[in-house]
Amino acid sequence: DFPAADSKDYVYPKRFFVNITSHIQWYRERGVEASAVLVVRDKSIGSMARSFVHCQIPEIRDQEEQLGMWIMQEAIQHFQAQGSGQAADGSYYSAPPLVILSYETLVNAGLPYLNYMLDQLQLPRVDVDDVPDFRDGNERYVQSQQEVAKLEKERV
């Protein structure tokens, strides 16, 4: 028996990794046109952000970053060789299994890039009135260490 969905009996890990390749394959084998969006960002800033928020232990953070990159590279290589793929009914999927989104490009290019990514996923475009302003979350990590420490104290 599983606990009810609103039960407090579930225990989830702080962080976990999903095998992108097997995840997409599982859905596609069942006729679901699944795609994964891989969000990448500047390596140095991403690492610095994770060290402030998720993982203050550099050795563990580095191992997690290496594992995450390995998982993404494996998926890219797998699906690059395979192509979009064929559904169980013999038709071909219209959306690619992987789309790689660059955080920095999204922040800098805004709506045109967002709509480009939605096109890749065969999803409807969004109108300019429906999109909030894009805010550069990297700005805080480009500042001096003193300024970053001050921001972290204010956050707590």
Side-chain angles (χ1 to χ4, degrees):
D1 290 319
F2 289 102
D6 61 349
S7 170
K8 304 290 184 209
D9 294 336
Y10 289 109
V11 177
Y12 295 99
K14 288 185 177 185
R15 288 183 296 286
F16 57 91
F17 292 87
V18 174
N19 182 306
I20 299 163
T21 302
S22 63
H23 194 72
I24 296 298
Q25 286 176 326
W26 188 90
Y27 279 100
R28 288 194 166 199
E29 287 168 1
R30 288 155 180 79
V32 177
E33 188 165 348
S35 297
V37 178
L38 310 181
V39 180
V40 296
R41 62 189 299 191
D42 177 272
K43 185 177 179 178
S44 299
I45 291 174
S47 182
M48 191 180 306
R50 282 184 290 280
S51 70
F52 281 117
V53 181
H54 302 294
C55 188
Q56 288 82 32
I57 304 168
E59 296 78 16
I60 294 174
R61 182 193 64 235
D62 293 346
Q63 289 175 357
E64 288 180 352
E65 289 173 359
Q66 288 174 359
L67 177 59
M69 187 53 64
W70 182 87
I71 290 171
M72 288 195 300
Q73 289 172 342
E74 188 276 332
I76 292 166
Q77 290 171 356
H78 175 83
F79 289 112
Q80 183 180 33
Q82 179 184 343
S84 289
Q86 195 170 7
D89 65 2
S91 64
Y92 286 90
Y93 295 109
S94 58
L98 299 175
V99 173
I100 301 172
L101 184 140
S102 163
Y103 173 83
E104 282 76 18
T105 304
L106 178 62
V107 168
N108 288 306
L111 184 61
Y113 183 69
L114 176 60
N115 278 326
Y116 171 78
M117 298 308 297
L118 291 170
D119 289 347
Q120 299 302 306
L121 292 163
Q122 308 286 314
L123 295 172
R125 288 175 162 232
V126 293
D127 189 273
V128 69
D129 296 330
D130 298 328
V131 179
D133 291 335
F134 290 93
R135 186 179 64 83
D136 185 0
N138 287 346
E139 183 179 343
R140 65 187 297 166
Y141 302 109
V142 179
Q143 300 171 13
S144 73
Q145 289 293 70
Q146 258 183 340
E147 291 170 323
V148 171
K150 181 181 173 188
L151 284 173
E152 287 302 311
K153 284 182 183 177
E154 291 172 0
R155 196 182 104 208
V156 177

